[in-house]
Amino acid sequence: GIALSAVTSGGAADRGGLKEGDVLLKFNGQEIKSAQHFMELMQATKGGQRVEFTWLREKTETVKTITLGRRGQ
């Protein structure tokens, strides 16, 4: 997984409940191996699409579907 160093206020991650310091574990059920891997997964996904994220915060794992923001907006 990868730790979030920042979350944009009002962005898709913020609206989905993610916070700075959360550790992203999975993207649509696929384990996130590195920041580069996560970027590749994001780039292969269309903006506006709903995806399932799994993350860890304070020893609690959360799974939630989040609608990605549209690129360029």
Side-chain angles (χ1 to χ4, degrees):
I2 59 169
L4 293 178
S5 59
V7 174
T8 303
S9 180
D14 181 41
R15 291 191 311 271
L18 288 161
K19 295 184 180 183
E20 183 178 325
D22 287 348
V23 178
L24 290 180
L25 302 173
K26 294 181 183 178
F27 179 92
N28 267 350
Q30 190 169 3
E31 183 178 336
I32 299 170
K33 299 174 185 171
S34 67
Q36 178 65 33
H37 181 234
F38 177 64
M39 293 304 300
E40 291 168 1
L41 293 170
M42 289 290 291
Q43 290 170 352
T45 307
K46 295 179 182 178
Q49 186 173 334
R50 293 173 52 86
V51 296
E52 184 181 271
F53 282 90
T54 303
W55 69 88
L56 187 65
R57 179 187 301 152
E58 298 176 7
K59 300 181 183 178
T60 301
E61 193 170 297
T62 300
V63 178
K64 188 170 182 181
T65 301
I66 297 173
T67 302
L68 297 179
R70 298 194 183 274
R71 294 179 185 89
Q73 291 184 346

